[in-house]
């Protein structure tokens, strides 16, 4: 209810601003000095309206929810682990720009990488914020990096892969639909991992939960108390079981249609080339840029918005009023 009230209040505020501009336009017919101020206000209002219009594309079942985002390094040893850490930083920066709150739930550390970065074999993030899942859901897939390897004595060019998995934080919404029996769980407690030295945790506060029927394993080590880590791990497990349930539905529909099921891990969605030229290209939308540093610093809006706007499900949501606006 509070979300709906907030949304309505936003539209009412935009309407008041538009009405005020109409009144100023009438006054400008007598006072030409107001024209510059009116043009500036129209630009600001247009930007606000564009942001509201974009929400039309974010009307999926869980688009308003927070996100559980995981990054897994692929084959390639230190290069792949370093690439996973670079992606972690990229998404953290993107979330900062969107004012989303990010917390690392669990992380499996690799070897020390380039520029002093500690590599990551895998890392799971909890991203809290309105529409976080709507913005990030299309980031799922394989991300490919081409660069001169900082670990190669001969300065050879290497290709690294990392897999990004994005799940909606379904929280307690799915408790009735996805029932988890206590006897189906194997729960282990262990010390939270770290890069070593003073970061080594001496208390067994981290939690690992294995769902025996599906063999899905999740963990949480961000909290100091076992109870809180268990709660977070159960949230991740519920999200993974929801994803598994949705995939089974898709598989059943696809089999009825007679089409082969595509293998998700093989679906490369974006390439980041740092050598011999600089370019980031999304293979689904064709959007590309030579500003590789900006992208790796979290400037992902161009790619994320293009994918959301061009997805088949989004195109069906465009109201006729928006399509006709070019004629206004």
């Amino acid at each position: 209810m509070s979300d709906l009230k907030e949304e309505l209040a936003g539209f009412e505020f935009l309407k008041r601003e538009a009405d005020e501009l109409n009144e100023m336009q009438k006054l400008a017919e007598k006072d030409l000095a107001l024209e510059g101020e009116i043009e500036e206000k129209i630009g600001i209002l247009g930007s606000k309206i564009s942001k509201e219009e974009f929400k039309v594309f974010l009307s999926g079942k869980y688009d308003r929810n927070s996100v559980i985002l995981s990054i897994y390094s692929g084959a390639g040893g230190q290069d792949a682990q370093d690439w996973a850490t670079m992606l972690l930083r990229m998404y953290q920066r993107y979330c900062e720009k969107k004012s989303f709150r990010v917390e690392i739930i669990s992380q499996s550390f690799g070897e020390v990488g380039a520029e002093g970065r500690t590599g990551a074999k895998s890392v799971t993030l909890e991203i809290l914020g309105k529409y976080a899942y709507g913005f990030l859901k299309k980031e799922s897939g394989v991300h490919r990096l081409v660069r001169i390897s900082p670990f190669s004595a001969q300065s050879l060019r290497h290709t690294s892969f990392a897999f990004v998995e994005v799940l909606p934080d379904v929280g307690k919404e799915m408790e009735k639909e996805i029932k988890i029996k206590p006897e189906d769980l194997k729960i282990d407690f262990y010390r939270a991992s770290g890069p070593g030295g003073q970061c080594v945790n001496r208390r067994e506060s981290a939690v690992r939960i294995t769902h025996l029927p599906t063999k899905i394993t999740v963990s949480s080590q961000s909290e100091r108390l076992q109870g809180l880590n268990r709660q977070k791990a159960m949230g991740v497990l519920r999200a993974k079981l929801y994803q598994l349930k949705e995939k089974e539905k898709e598989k059943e529909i696809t089999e009825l249609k007679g089409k082969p099921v595509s293998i998700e891990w093989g679906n490369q969605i974006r390439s980041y080339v740092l050598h011999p030229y600089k370019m980031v290209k999304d293979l689904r939308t064709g959007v590309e840029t030579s500003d590789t540093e900006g992208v790796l610093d979290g400037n992902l809006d161009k790619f994320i918005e293009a994918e959301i706007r061009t997805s088949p499900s989004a195109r069906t949501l465009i109201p006729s009023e928006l399509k006709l606006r070019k004629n206004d």
Side-chain angles (χ1 to χ4, degrees):
M1 181 64 74
S2 62
D3 285 344
L4 290 173
K5 286 181 178 178
E6 184 181 338
E7 192 170 338
L8 284 172
F11 283 122
E12 289 168 359
F13 176 76
L14 290 175
K15 187 178 184 301
R16 284 197 300 271
E17 284 198 335
D19 291 340
E20 288 174 9
L21 278 172
N22 283 330
E23 293 299 321
M24 288 183 69
Q25 187 69 42
K26 293 175 184 177
L27 294 174
E29 294 174 2
K30 299 177 181 179
D31 185 359
L32 297 178
L34 287 173
E35 287 187 356
E37 184 181 351
I38 289 173
E39 283 193 19
E40 183 181 350
K41 286 181 177 293
I42 286 174
I44 294 171
L45 180 59
S47 177
K48 291 178 181 178
I49 291 173
S50 293
K51 288 181 180 179
E52 290 299 321
E53 280 184 350
F54 187 72
K55 291 179 182 178
V56 170
F57 301 98
L58 301 176
S59 52
K61 186 175 181 180
Y62 293 111
D63 282 359
R64 289 172 176 265
N65 287 31
S66 296
V67 165
I68 296 167
L69 185 147
S70 300
I71 303 169
Y72 304 93
S73 63
Q78 280 183 289
D79 274 293
Q81 292 171 12
D82 190 50
W83 174 223
T85 303
M86 291 168 67
L87 284 174
L88 169 62
R89 178 183 178 276
M90 181 181 80
Y91 286 118
Q92 285 175 322
R93 291 295 180 91
Y94 173 77
C95 292
E96 285 175 12
K97 297 176 195 295
K98 288 289 183 184
S99 299
F100 297 153
R101 188 159 61 88
V102 181
E103 183 179 347
I104 295 177
I105 295 178
S106 65
Q107 185 168 4
S108 175
F109 293 93
E111 301 175 55
V112 176
E115 301 175 6
R117 290 189 293 266
T118 301
K121 295 177 182 177
S122 66
V123 58
T124 298
L125 306 174
E126 183 180 41
I127 301 172
L128 305 174
K130 191 178 290 186
Y131 290 105
Y133 180 66
F135 279 108
L136 289 165
K137 63 184 177 182
K138 298 295 182 180
E139 290 298 290
S140 284
V142 178
H143 294 246
R144 170 177 170 261
L145 172 70
V146 181
R147 63 171 175 174
I148 296 293
S149 172
F151 309 102
S152 172
Q154 293 80 29
S155 297
L156 299 176
R157 189 173 66 176
H158 280 225
T159 300
S160 305
F161 294 91
F163 181 67
V164 176
E165 179 186 55
V166 182
L167 303 171
D169 185 357
V170 294
K172 295 185 178 181
E173 300 170 47
M174 299 298 292
E175 278 188 2
K176 292 182 180 178
E177 191 172 340
I178 299 177
K179 295 181 179 179
I180 303 174
K181 299 177 182 177
E183 60 268 25
D184 288 341
L185 301 179
K186 178 187 175 186
I187 303 175
D188 300 306
F189 302 101
Y190 62 99
R191 295 179 185 178
S193 62
Q198 294 181 348
C199 298
V200 173
N201 194 331
R202 291 179 172 81
R203 297 179 61 196
E204 292 190 346
S205 58
V207 176
R208 182 187 297 109
I209 299 177
T210 303
H211 187 246
L212 299 175
T214 60
K215 306 301 182 185
I216 292 174
T217 301
V218 297
S219 60
S220 174
Q221 60 187 42
S222 60
E223 304 293 342
R224 292 181 179 273
L225 300 177
Q226 282 184 0
L228 292 175
N229 277 323
R230 177 172 176 166
Q231 185 178 337
K232 283 188 178 292
M234 286 297 292
V236 178
L237 176 61
R238 196 171 288 114
K240 284 184 176 286
L241 290 174
Y242 164 75
Q243 184 197 46
L244 184 64
K245 186 176 181 181
E246 291 298 303
K247 282 186 177 181
E248 287 174 353
K249 285 183 184 177
E250 290 175 11
K251 184 178 179 181
E252 185 178 346
I253 292 170
T254 305
E255 286 175 351
L256 288 172
K257 289 181 177 179
K259 294 181 180 179
V261 180
S262 61
I263 301 172
E264 190 176 33
W265 182 263
N267 291 340
Q268 181 179 312
I269 65 168
R270 193 175 302 145
S271 289
Y272 307 72
V273 181
L274 306 185
H275 185 84
Y277 52 88
K278 292 191 175 184
M279 184 181 71
V280 179
K281 182 174 182 177
D282 195 291
L283 305 179
R284 300 162 297 178
T285 61
V287 173
E288 60 182 62
T289 178
S290 58
D291 182 20
T292 55
E293 289 83 2
V295 172
L296 292 173
D297 198 41
N299 296 332
L300 298 172
D301 286 330
K302 179 188 292 187
F303 297 99
I304 288 175
E305 291 183 11
E307 177 56 31
I308 291 172
R309 287 180 183 275
T310 56
S311 63
S313 58
R315 284 197 291 271
T316 62
L317 297 171
I318 304 175
S320 58
E321 290 80 6
L322 297 186
K323 293 179 182 176
L324 295 172
R325 183 152 299 169
K326 292 180 180 178
N327 300 324
D328 291 350

